[in-house]
Amino acid sequence: MSTRPEILFPLFASLETLPGVGAKTAKSLEQMGITSPRDLLMTLPSSGIDRTFRKSISGLTFPVVATTAVTIERHH
């Protein structure tokens, strides 16, 4: 018998219970010490990419990822 509330059971299940996570992905995550959805929630990202839309690329310090709209006038 567990003292854990039943609503929390999915957090301690195997990773393969998550949509889109199969045996191969679960094995890769296990190498990083992630064996349950709870572990995945407690894993902080190591980096991020800012994909905020920008009207112009002027004023950016390159190299940088920039999301903007462009018009292609010619293509060879």
Short mmCIF file of all heavy atoms in Angstrom, two decimals:
data_model
loop_
_atom_site.label_atom_id
_atom_site.label_comp_id
_atom_site.label_asym_id
_atom_site.label_seq_id
_atom_site.Cartn_x
_atom_site.Cartn_y
_atom_site.Cartn_z
N MET A 1 0.84 -1.19 0.00
CA MET A 1 0.00 0.00 0.00
C MET A 1 0.88 1.24 0.00
O MET A 1 1.84 1.34 0.74
CB MET A 1 -0.92 -0.02 1.21
CG MET A 1 -1.82 1.18 1.30
SD MET A 1 -2.95 0.98 2.67
CE MET A 1 -4.34 1.76 1.99
N SER A 2 0.53 2.18 -0.83
CA SER A 2 1.31 3.41 -0.94
C SER A 2 0.61 4.55 -0.21
O SER A 2 -0.62 4.63 -0.18
CB SER A 2 1.47 3.76 -2.42
OG SER A 2 2.10 5.01 -2.55
N THR A 3 1.40 5.42 0.38
CA THR A 3 0.82 6.60 1.02
C THR A 3 0.71 7.74 0.02
O THR A 3 0.23 8.81 0.36
CB THR A 3 1.70 7.03 2.20
OG1 THR A 3 3.01 7.32 1.73
CG2 THR A 3 1.74 5.96 3.27
N ARG A 4 1.15 7.51 -1.19
CA ARG A 4 1.08 8.51 -2.25
C ARG A 4 -0.35 8.61 -2.78
O ARG A 4 -1.00 7.60 -3.03
CB ARG A 4 2.03 8.09 -3.37
CG ARG A 4 2.10 9.05 -4.51
CD ARG A 4 3.07 8.56 -5.58
NE ARG A 4 4.39 8.37 -5.02
CZ ARG A 4 5.18 7.33 -5.29
NH1 ARG A 4 4.78 6.38 -6.10
NH2 ARG A 4 6.36 7.24 -4.75
N PRO A 5 -0.88 9.82 -2.98
CA PRO A 5 -2.22 9.95 -3.55
C PRO A 5 -2.26 9.35 -4.96
O PRO A 5 -1.31 9.48 -5.73
CB PRO A 5 -2.46 11.46 -3.60
CG PRO A 5 -1.48 12.05 -2.66
CD PRO A 5 -0.31 11.12 -2.62
N GLU A 6 -3.36 8.72 -5.29
CA GLU A 6 -3.50 8.04 -6.57
C GLU A 6 -3.32 8.98 -7.76
O GLU A 6 -2.83 8.57 -8.81
CB GLU A 6 -4.87 7.36 -6.64
CG GLU A 6 -5.01 6.44 -7.82
CD GLU A 6 -6.30 5.66 -7.79
OE1 GLU A 6 -6.89 5.49 -6.71
OE2 GLU A 6 -6.71 5.22 -8.88
N ILE A 7 -3.65 10.23 -7.61
CA ILE A 7 -3.52 11.19 -8.71
C ILE A 7 -2.06 11.37 -9.14
O ILE A 7 -1.76 11.77 -10.25
CB ILE A 7 -4.18 12.55 -8.34
CG1 ILE A 7 -4.39 13.39 -9.59
CG2 ILE A 7 -3.36 13.28 -7.29
CD1 ILE A 7 -5.25 14.61 -9.38
N LEU A 8 -1.12 11.07 -8.24
CA LEU A 8 0.31 11.21 -8.54
C LEU A 8 0.94 9.96 -9.15
O LEU A 8 2.10 10.00 -9.57
CB LEU A 8 1.07 11.60 -7.27
CG LEU A 8 0.70 12.95 -6.65
CD1 LEU A 8 1.52 13.18 -5.39
CD2 LEU A 8 0.89 14.09 -7.63
N PHE A 9 0.22 8.87 -9.21
CA PHE A 9 0.76 7.62 -9.76
C PHE A 9 1.39 7.78 -11.14
O PHE A 9 2.46 7.25 -11.40
CB PHE A 9 -0.30 6.53 -9.78
CG PHE A 9 -0.64 5.95 -8.42
CD1 PHE A 9 -1.61 4.98 -8.32
CD2 PHE A 9 -0.01 6.37 -7.27
CE1 PHE A 9 -1.94 4.43 -7.08
CE2 PHE A 9 -0.33 5.84 -6.02
CZ PHE A 9 -1.30 4.87 -5.93
N PRO A 10 0.76 8.53 -12.07
CA PRO A 10 1.37 8.67 -13.41
C PRO A 10 2.75 9.31 -13.40
O PRO A 10 3.57 9.06 -14.27
CB PRO A 10 0.37 9.55 -14.17
CG PRO A 10 -0.92 9.35 -13.48
CD PRO A 10 -0.57 9.13 -12.04
N LEU A 11 3.05 10.14 -12.40
CA LEU A 11 4.37 10.77 -12.32
C LEU A 11 5.49 9.77 -12.03
O LEU A 11 6.65 10.03 -12.32
CB LEU A 11 4.39 11.87 -11.25
CG LEU A 11 3.56 13.11 -11.54
CD1 LEU A 11 3.60 14.04 -10.34
CD2 LEU A 11 4.05 13.81 -12.78
N PHE A 12 5.12 8.64 -11.44
CA PHE A 12 6.11 7.64 -11.06
C PHE A 12 6.07 6.40 -11.97
O PHE A 12 6.73 5.40 -11.70
CB PHE A 12 5.92 7.25 -9.59
CG PHE A 12 6.18 8.42 -8.67
CD1 PHE A 12 5.16 9.29 -8.33
CD2 PHE A 12 7.44 8.67 -8.18
CE1 PHE A 12 5.39 10.38 -7.49
CE2 PHE A 12 7.69 9.75 -7.35
CZ PHE A 12 6.66 10.61 -7.01
N ALA A 13 5.30 6.48 -13.05
CA ALA A 13 5.20 5.36 -14.00
C ALA A 13 6.43 5.38 -14.91
O ALA A 13 7.30 6.24 -14.79
CB ALA A 13 3.93 5.52 -14.83
N SER A 14 6.50 4.44 -15.83
CA SER A 14 7.63 4.43 -16.76
C SER A 14 7.47 5.54 -17.79
O SER A 14 6.36 6.03 -18.03
CB SER A 14 7.74 3.07 -17.46
OG SER A 14 6.73 2.95 -18.43
N LEU A 15 8.57 5.94 -18.37
CA LEU A 15 8.54 7.00 -19.38
C LEU A 15 7.73 6.62 -20.61
O LEU A 15 7.15 7.47 -21.28
CB LEU A 15 9.97 7.36 -19.82
CG LEU A 15 10.78 8.17 -18.82
CD1 LEU A 15 12.22 8.27 -19.28
CD2 LEU A 15 10.18 9.55 -18.64
N GLU A 16 7.65 5.33 -20.90
CA GLU A 16 6.94 4.88 -22.09
C GLU A 16 5.44 5.09 -22.00
O GLU A 16 4.73 4.93 -22.99
CB GLU A 16 7.28 3.42 -22.36
CG GLU A 16 8.74 3.25 -22.76
CD GLU A 16 9.09 1.80 -23.03
OE1 GLU A 16 8.28 1.09 -23.65
OE2 GLU A 16 10.19 1.39 -22.62
N THR A 17 4.95 5.49 -20.83
CA THR A 17 3.53 5.81 -20.71
C THR A 17 3.22 7.19 -21.28
O THR A 17 2.05 7.52 -21.49
CB THR A 17 3.07 5.76 -19.24
OG1 THR A 17 3.79 6.72 -18.48
CG2 THR A 17 3.25 4.37 -18.65
N LEU A 18 4.25 7.99 -21.54
CA LEU A 18 4.05 9.32 -22.12
C LEU A 18 3.84 9.21 -23.63
O LEU A 18 4.51 8.42 -24.29
CB LEU A 18 5.27 10.21 -21.85
CG LEU A 18 5.56 10.53 -20.39
CD1 LEU A 18 6.88 11.28 -20.28
CD2 LEU A 18 4.43 11.35 -19.79
N PRO A 19 2.94 10.00 -24.20
CA PRO A 19 2.73 9.97 -25.64
C PRO A 19 4.01 10.36 -26.39
O PRO A 19 4.66 11.34 -26.04
CB PRO A 19 1.64 11.02 -25.88
CG PRO A 19 1.00 11.24 -24.56
CD PRO A 19 2.03 10.93 -23.53
N GLY A 20 4.38 9.59 -27.38
CA GLY A 20 5.55 9.90 -28.19
C GLY A 20 6.86 9.37 -27.64
O GLY A 20 7.91 9.57 -28.24
N VAL A 21 6.85 8.75 -26.47
CA VAL A 21 8.07 8.19 -25.89
C VAL A 21 8.02 6.67 -26.01
O VAL A 21 7.17 6.03 -25.40
CB VAL A 21 8.25 8.61 -24.41
CG1 VAL A 21 9.49 7.96 -23.82
CG2 VAL A 21 8.31 10.11 -24.28
N GLY A 22 8.93 6.14 -26.82
CA GLY A 22 9.01 4.70 -26.98
C GLY A 22 10.22 4.15 -26.25
O GLY A 22 10.89 4.84 -25.48
N ALA A 23 10.51 2.90 -26.52
CA ALA A 23 11.62 2.22 -25.84
C ALA A 23 12.96 2.89 -26.14
O ALA A 23 13.80 3.04 -25.25
CB ALA A 23 11.66 0.76 -26.26
N LYS A 24 13.16 3.31 -27.38
CA LYS A 24 14.44 3.91 -27.77
C LYS A 24 14.67 5.25 -27.05
O LYS A 24 15.75 5.51 -26.52
CB LYS A 24 14.46 4.11 -29.29
CG LYS A 24 15.78 4.49 -29.86
CD LYS A 24 15.71 4.49 -31.38
CE LYS A 24 17.03 4.84 -32.01
NZ LYS A 24 16.96 4.85 -33.47
N THR A 25 13.64 6.10 -27.02
CA THR A 25 13.75 7.39 -26.33
C THR A 25 13.92 7.18 -24.83
O THR A 25 14.72 7.86 -24.19
CB THR A 25 12.52 8.26 -26.61
OG1 THR A 25 12.39 8.43 -28.03
CG2 THR A 25 12.63 9.62 -25.96
N ALA A 26 13.16 6.25 -24.28
CA ALA A 26 13.25 5.97 -22.84
C ALA A 26 14.66 5.51 -22.47
O ALA A 26 15.20 5.91 -21.44
CB ALA A 26 12.23 4.92 -22.44
N LYS A 27 15.28 4.70 -23.33
CA LYS A 27 16.63 4.23 -23.06
C LYS A 27 17.63 5.38 -23.09
O LYS A 27 18.53 5.47 -22.26
CB LYS A 27 17.02 3.17 -24.09
CG LYS A 27 18.33 2.49 -23.80
CD LYS A 27 18.59 1.36 -24.76
CE LYS A 27 19.91 0.68 -24.44
NZ LYS A 27 20.20 -0.44 -25.34
N SER A 28 17.46 6.30 -24.05
CA SER A 28 18.35 7.48 -24.13
C SER A 28 18.20 8.36 -22.89
O SER A 28 19.19 8.85 -22.34
CB SER A 28 18.03 8.29 -25.38
OG SER A 28 18.32 7.57 -26.54
N LEU A 29 16.97 8.57 -22.46
CA LEU A 29 16.74 9.39 -21.27
C LEU A 29 17.26 8.71 -20.00
O LEU A 29 17.75 9.38 -19.09
CB LEU A 29 15.24 9.71 -21.14
CG LEU A 29 14.68 10.66 -22.18
CD1 LEU A 29 13.16 10.70 -22.11
CD2 LEU A 29 15.25 12.05 -22.02
N GLU A 30 17.19 7.39 -19.97
CA GLU A 30 17.68 6.65 -18.81
C GLU A 30 19.19 6.84 -18.62
O GLU A 30 19.68 6.87 -17.49
CB GLU A 30 17.36 5.16 -18.97
CG GLU A 30 17.63 4.35 -17.73
CD GLU A 30 17.19 2.90 -17.87
OE1 GLU A 30 16.37 2.61 -18.75
OE2 GLU A 30 17.70 2.09 -17.09
N GLN A 31 19.91 7.02 -19.71
CA GLN A 31 21.35 7.27 -19.62
C GLN A 31 21.65 8.60 -18.93
O GLN A 31 22.74 8.80 -18.42
CB GLN A 31 21.98 7.24 -21.01
CG GLN A 31 21.97 5.87 -21.64
CD GLN A 31 22.49 5.88 -23.07
OE1 GLN A 31 22.79 6.92 -23.64
NE2 GLN A 31 22.60 4.69 -23.65
N MET A 32 20.66 9.50 -18.92
CA MET A 32 20.82 10.79 -18.24
C MET A 32 20.23 10.76 -16.84
O MET A 32 20.13 11.78 -16.18
CB MET A 32 20.14 11.90 -19.05
CG MET A 32 20.79 12.14 -20.39
SD MET A 32 20.11 13.55 -21.27
CE MET A 32 18.47 13.00 -21.68
N GLY A 33 19.79 9.57 -16.40
CA GLY A 33 19.23 9.44 -15.06
C GLY A 33 17.74 9.75 -14.99
O GLY A 33 17.20 9.94 -13.91
N ILE A 34 17.08 9.83 -16.14
CA ILE A 34 15.65 10.13 -16.19
C ILE A 34 14.91 8.82 -16.44
O ILE A 34 15.01 8.25 -17.52
CB ILE A 34 15.35 11.17 -17.29
CG1 ILE A 34 16.12 12.46 -17.02
CG2 ILE A 34 13.86 11.42 -17.40
CD1 ILE A 34 16.10 13.45 -18.15
N THR A 35 14.19 8.34 -15.44
CA THR A 35 13.50 7.05 -15.56
C THR A 35 11.99 7.15 -15.40
O THR A 35 11.29 6.17 -15.60
CB THR A 35 14.05 6.06 -14.52
OG1 THR A 35 13.84 6.62 -13.22
CG2 THR A 35 15.52 5.78 -14.75
N SER A 36 11.49 8.33 -15.02
CA SER A 36 10.05 8.50 -14.84
C SER A 36 9.64 9.90 -15.29
O SER A 36 10.49 10.79 -15.39
CB SER A 36 9.67 8.29 -13.37
OG SER A 36 10.19 9.33 -12.59
N PRO A 37 8.35 10.12 -15.52
CA PRO A 37 7.91 11.48 -15.86
C PRO A 37 8.28 12.50 -14.79
O PRO A 37 8.59 13.65 -15.09
CB PRO A 37 6.39 11.33 -15.98
CG PRO A 37 6.21 9.93 -16.44
CD PRO A 37 7.26 9.15 -15.69
N ARG A 38 8.31 12.08 -13.53
CA ARG A 38 8.71 12.97 -12.44
C ARG A 38 10.14 13.47 -12.65
O ARG A 38 10.44 14.64 -12.50
CB ARG A 38 8.61 12.24 -11.11
CG ARG A 38 9.09 13.06 -9.94
CD ARG A 38 9.27 12.18 -8.70
NE ARG A 38 9.93 12.90 -7.67
CZ ARG A 38 11.26 12.98 -7.51
NH1 ARG A 38 12.06 12.37 -8.35
NH2 ARG A 38 11.78 13.67 -6.53
N ASP A 39 11.04 12.56 -13.02
CA ASP A 39 12.43 12.94 -13.26
C ASP A 39 12.51 13.93 -14.41
O ASP A 39 13.32 14.86 -14.38
CB ASP A 39 13.28 11.71 -13.60
CG ASP A 39 13.36 10.72 -12.46
OD1 ASP A 39 13.22 11.13 -11.29
OD2 ASP A 39 13.55 9.52 -12.74
N LEU A 40 11.69 13.74 -15.42
CA LEU A 40 11.68 14.63 -16.57
C LEU A 40 11.22 16.02 -16.17
O LEU A 40 11.79 17.03 -16.60
CB LEU A 40 10.77 14.05 -17.65
CG LEU A 40 10.86 14.65 -19.04
CD1 LEU A 40 12.27 14.57 -19.59
CD2 LEU A 40 9.89 13.96 -19.98
N LEU A 41 10.21 16.10 -15.30
CA LEU A 41 9.73 17.40 -14.82
C LEU A 41 10.77 18.13 -13.99
O LEU A 41 10.83 19.36 -14.00
CB LEU A 41 8.46 17.21 -13.98
CG LEU A 41 7.19 16.90 -14.74
CD1 LEU A 41 6.08 16.55 -13.75
CD2 LEU A 41 6.77 18.06 -15.60
N MET A 42 11.59 17.38 -13.27
CA MET A 42 12.58 17.98 -12.39
C MET A 42 13.90 18.30 -13.10
O MET A 42 14.84 18.79 -12.48
CB MET A 42 12.86 17.06 -11.20
CG MET A 42 11.65 16.80 -10.35
SD MET A 42 11.04 18.32 -9.63
CE MET A 42 9.59 17.74 -8.79
N THR A 43 13.98 17.99 -14.40
CA THR A 43 15.20 18.25 -15.16
C THR A 43 15.11 19.62 -15.80
O THR A 43 14.23 19.88 -16.62
CB THR A 43 15.40 17.18 -16.25
OG1 THR A 43 15.41 15.90 -15.63
CG2 THR A 43 16.70 17.40 -17.00
N LEU A 44 15.99 20.51 -15.40
CA LEU A 44 15.99 21.87 -15.93
C LEU A 44 16.65 21.90 -17.31
O LEU A 44 17.60 21.16 -17.58
CB LEU A 44 16.74 22.81 -14.99
CG LEU A 44 16.13 22.99 -13.61
CD1 LEU A 44 17.05 23.83 -12.73
CD2 LEU A 44 14.77 23.65 -13.72
N PRO A 45 16.17 22.75 -18.20
CA PRO A 45 16.81 22.86 -19.51
C PRO A 45 18.21 23.45 -19.38
O PRO A 45 18.48 24.26 -18.49
CB PRO A 45 15.90 23.81 -20.28
CG PRO A 45 15.08 24.51 -19.27
CD PRO A 45 15.02 23.64 -18.06
N SER A 46 19.12 23.02 -20.25
CA SER A 46 20.49 23.53 -20.19
C SER A 46 20.66 24.76 -21.07
O SER A 46 21.63 25.49 -20.94
CB SER A 46 21.47 22.44 -20.63
OG SER A 46 21.18 22.04 -21.95
N SER A 47 19.72 24.99 -21.98
CA SER A 47 19.79 26.17 -22.83
C SER A 47 18.42 26.40 -23.45
O SER A 47 17.49 25.62 -23.27
CB SER A 47 20.83 25.96 -23.94
OG SER A 47 20.41 24.93 -24.81
N GLY A 48 18.32 27.47 -24.18
CA GLY A 48 17.06 27.79 -24.85
C GLY A 48 17.33 28.66 -26.06
O GLY A 48 18.40 29.28 -26.17
N ILE A 49 16.40 28.69 -26.96
CA ILE A 49 16.52 29.53 -28.15
C ILE A 49 15.35 30.49 -28.17
O ILE A 49 14.19 30.07 -28.11
CB ILE A 49 16.52 28.67 -29.44
CG1 ILE A 49 17.72 27.73 -29.45
CG2 ILE A 49 16.54 29.56 -30.67
CD1 ILE A 49 17.72 26.76 -30.61
N ASP A 50 15.65 31.77 -28.22
CA ASP A 50 14.62 32.80 -28.29
C ASP A 50 14.13 32.90 -29.72
O ASP A 50 14.86 33.31 -30.61
CB ASP A 50 15.19 34.14 -27.82
CG ASP A 50 14.17 35.26 -27.90
OD1 ASP A 50 12.97 34.98 -28.11
OD2 ASP A 50 14.57 36.43 -27.74
N ARG A 51 12.90 32.48 -29.97
CA ARG A 51 12.33 32.52 -31.31
C ARG A 51 11.24 33.60 -31.40
O ARG A 51 10.31 33.49 -32.18
CB ARG A 51 11.77 31.16 -31.69
CG ARG A 51 12.85 30.10 -31.77
CD ARG A 51 12.32 28.82 -32.38
NE ARG A 51 13.28 27.74 -32.28
CZ ARG A 51 14.25 27.52 -33.15
NH1 ARG A 51 14.40 28.32 -34.17
NH2 ARG A 51 15.07 26.51 -32.99
N THR A 52 11.39 34.64 -30.62
CA THR A 52 10.45 35.75 -30.65
C THR A 52 10.48 36.41 -32.02
O THR A 52 11.55 36.69 -32.57
CB THR A 52 10.83 36.79 -29.58
OG1 THR A 52 10.93 36.14 -28.32
CG2 THR A 52 9.80 37.91 -29.51
N PHE A 53 9.30 36.68 -32.59
CA PHE A 53 9.23 37.31 -33.91
C PHE A 53 9.77 38.73 -33.81
O PHE A 53 9.48 39.48 -32.89
CB PHE A 53 7.78 37.35 -34.41
CG PHE A 53 7.65 37.98 -35.76
CD1 PHE A 53 7.96 37.27 -36.90
CD2 PHE A 53 7.25 39.29 -35.88
CE1 PHE A 53 7.86 37.85 -38.15
CE2 PHE A 53 7.16 39.89 -37.12
CZ PHE A 53 7.46 39.16 -38.26
N ARG A 54 10.59 39.09 -34.79
CA ARG A 54 11.16 40.44 -34.86
C ARG A 54 10.79 41.06 -36.20
O ARG A 54 10.81 40.40 -37.23
CB ARG A 54 12.67 40.38 -34.73
CG ARG A 54 13.11 39.65 -33.46
CD ARG A 54 14.57 39.83 -33.19
NE ARG A 54 15.07 38.96 -32.14
CZ ARG A 54 14.83 39.11 -30.84
NH1 ARG A 54 14.08 40.08 -30.43
NH2 ARG A 54 15.34 38.28 -29.97
N LYS A 55 10.43 42.34 -36.18
CA LYS A 55 10.06 43.03 -37.42
C LYS A 55 11.28 43.25 -38.30
O LYS A 55 11.16 43.32 -39.52
CB LYS A 55 9.41 44.38 -37.10
CG LYS A 55 8.04 44.24 -36.47
CD LYS A 55 7.43 45.60 -36.25
CE LYS A 55 6.05 45.44 -35.63
NZ LYS A 55 5.38 46.72 -35.45
N SER A 56 12.45 43.37 -37.69
CA SER A 56 13.67 43.66 -38.44
C SER A 56 14.86 43.01 -37.75
O SER A 56 14.82 42.74 -36.54
CB SER A 56 13.88 45.18 -38.51
OG SER A 56 15.15 45.49 -38.99
N ILE A 57 15.93 42.78 -38.52
CA ILE A 57 17.14 42.24 -37.90
C ILE A 57 18.12 43.34 -37.51
O ILE A 57 19.18 43.06 -36.96
CB ILE A 57 17.84 41.22 -38.83
CG1 ILE A 57 18.28 41.85 -40.14
CG2 ILE A 57 16.96 40.01 -39.05
CD1 ILE A 57 19.18 40.98 -40.98
N SER A 58 17.76 44.60 -37.75
CA SER A 58 18.65 45.69 -37.36
C SER A 58 18.73 45.76 -35.84
O SER A 58 17.73 45.58 -35.13
CB SER A 58 18.17 47.02 -37.93
OG SER A 58 16.92 47.36 -37.39
N GLY A 59 19.91 45.97 -35.34
CA GLY A 59 20.13 46.07 -33.91
C GLY A 59 20.48 44.77 -33.24
O GLY A 59 20.76 44.75 -32.05
N LEU A 60 20.47 43.65 -33.98
CA LEU A 60 20.83 42.36 -33.39
C LEU A 60 22.34 42.18 -33.40
O LEU A 60 23.03 42.69 -34.27
CB LEU A 60 20.19 41.21 -34.17
CG LEU A 60 18.66 41.13 -34.13
CD1 LEU A 60 18.18 39.98 -34.99
CD2 LEU A 60 18.17 40.97 -32.71
N THR A 61 22.87 41.49 -32.43
CA THR A 61 24.28 41.16 -32.37
C THR A 61 24.46 39.75 -32.89
O THR A 61 23.95 38.80 -32.30
CB THR A 61 24.80 41.27 -30.92
OG1 THR A 61 24.49 42.56 -30.41
CG2 THR A 61 26.29 41.04 -30.86
N PHE A 62 25.15 39.61 -33.99
CA PHE A 62 25.32 38.31 -34.63
C PHE A 62 26.54 37.58 -34.10
O PHE A 62 27.48 38.22 -33.67
CB PHE A 62 25.42 38.49 -36.15
CG PHE A 62 24.14 39.01 -36.74
CD1 PHE A 62 23.96 40.35 -37.00
CD2 PHE A 62 23.10 38.14 -36.99
CE1 PHE A 62 22.77 40.82 -37.51
CE2 PHE A 62 21.90 38.60 -37.51
CZ PHE A 62 21.74 39.95 -37.77
N PRO A 63 26.57 36.26 -34.10
CA PRO A 63 25.56 35.33 -34.60
C PRO A 63 24.42 35.20 -33.61
O PRO A 63 24.61 35.18 -32.40
CB PRO A 63 26.31 34.02 -34.75
CG PRO A 63 27.38 34.08 -33.72
CD PRO A 63 27.77 35.54 -33.62
N VAL A 64 23.19 35.11 -34.12
CA VAL A 64 22.00 34.99 -33.31
C VAL A 64 20.90 34.32 -34.13
O VAL A 64 20.90 34.40 -35.35
CB VAL A 64 21.54 36.39 -32.81
CG1 VAL A 64 21.06 37.25 -33.94
CG2 VAL A 64 20.48 36.28 -31.74
N VAL A 65 19.99 33.64 -33.44
CA VAL A 65 18.82 33.10 -34.10
C VAL A 65 17.78 34.20 -34.14
O VAL A 65 17.48 34.82 -33.11
CB VAL A 65 18.25 31.88 -33.34
CG1 VAL A 65 16.94 31.43 -33.93
CG2 VAL A 65 19.27 30.75 -33.34
N ALA A 66 17.24 34.50 -35.32
CA ALA A 66 16.24 35.55 -35.46
C ALA A 66 15.06 35.02 -36.27
O ALA A 66 15.25 34.39 -37.30
CB ALA A 66 16.84 36.77 -36.13
N THR A 67 13.86 35.29 -35.81
CA THR A 67 12.65 34.89 -36.52
C THR A 67 12.02 36.15 -37.10
O THR A 67 11.66 37.07 -36.36
CB THR A 67 11.66 34.20 -35.56
OG1 THR A 67 12.32 33.11 -34.93
CG2 THR A 67 10.44 33.70 -36.31
N THR A 68 11.92 36.17 -38.41
CA THR A 68 11.38 37.35 -39.08
C THR A 68 10.70 36.94 -40.37
O THR A 68 10.87 35.82 -40.84
CB THR A 68 12.49 38.40 -39.33
OG1 THR A 68 11.91 39.60 -39.79
CG2 THR A 68 13.52 37.89 -40.31
N ALA A 69 9.94 37.84 -40.96
CA ALA A 69 9.31 37.56 -42.25
C ALA A 69 10.19 38.13 -43.35
O ALA A 69 10.77 39.21 -43.20
CB ALA A 69 7.92 38.22 -42.30
N VAL A 70 10.32 37.41 -44.43
CA VAL A 70 11.12 37.86 -45.56
C VAL A 70 10.34 37.67 -46.85
O VAL A 70 9.41 36.88 -46.93
CB VAL A 70 12.46 37.10 -45.67
CG1 VAL A 70 13.32 37.33 -44.45
CG2 VAL A 70 12.24 35.62 -45.89
N THR A 71 10.75 38.42 -47.86
CA THR A 71 10.20 38.26 -49.21
C THR A 71 11.34 37.85 -50.11
O THR A 71 12.34 38.58 -50.21
CB THR A 71 9.58 39.57 -49.72
OG1 THR A 71 8.54 39.96 -48.81
CG2 THR A 71 8.99 39.39 -51.10
N ILE A 72 11.23 36.70 -50.75
CA ILE A 72 12.26 36.24 -51.65
C ILE A 72 11.96 36.79 -53.03
O ILE A 72 10.92 36.49 -53.62
CB ILE A 72 12.31 34.70 -51.67
CG1 ILE A 72 12.63 34.20 -50.26
CG2 ILE A 72 13.33 34.20 -52.68
CD1 ILE A 72 12.51 32.72 -50.08
N GLU A 73 12.85 37.62 -53.54
CA GLU A 73 12.63 38.25 -54.83
C GLU A 73 13.21 37.45 -55.98
O GLU A 73 12.65 37.45 -57.07
CB GLU A 73 13.21 39.68 -54.81
CG GLU A 73 12.47 40.57 -53.85
CD GLU A 73 13.00 41.98 -53.83
OE1 GLU A 73 13.88 42.31 -54.69
OE2 GLU A 73 12.58 42.75 -52.96
N ARG A 74 14.33 36.79 -55.75
CA ARG A 74 14.96 35.95 -56.78
C ARG A 74 15.54 34.73 -56.13
O ARG A 74 15.93 34.75 -54.97
CB ARG A 74 16.08 36.70 -57.51
CG ARG A 74 15.59 37.73 -58.48
CD ARG A 74 16.75 38.28 -59.26
NE ARG A 74 17.60 39.01 -58.32
CZ ARG A 74 18.70 39.68 -58.68
NH1 ARG A 74 19.09 39.67 -59.92
NH2 ARG A 74 19.40 40.33 -57.80
N HIS A 75 15.61 33.67 -56.93
CA HIS A 75 16.21 32.43 -56.44
C HIS A 75 16.94 31.78 -57.62
O HIS A 75 16.38 31.67 -58.70
CB HIS A 75 15.15 31.51 -55.90
CG HIS A 75 15.66 30.18 -55.45
ND1 HIS A 75 16.96 29.96 -55.07
CD2 HIS A 75 15.04 28.99 -55.30
CE1 HIS A 75 17.11 28.70 -54.72
NE2 HIS A 75 15.95 28.08 -54.86
N HIS A 76 18.19 31.41 -57.41
CA HIS A 76 18.97 30.76 -58.47
C HIS A 76 19.12 29.30 -58.18
O HIS A 76 19.33 28.88 -57.10
CB HIS A 76 20.38 31.37 -58.56
CG HIS A 76 20.34 32.81 -58.94
ND1 HIS A 76 20.21 33.25 -60.22
CD2 HIS A 76 20.42 33.93 -58.17
CE1 HIS A 76 20.20 34.56 -60.25
NE2 HIS A 76 20.33 35.01 -59.00
#
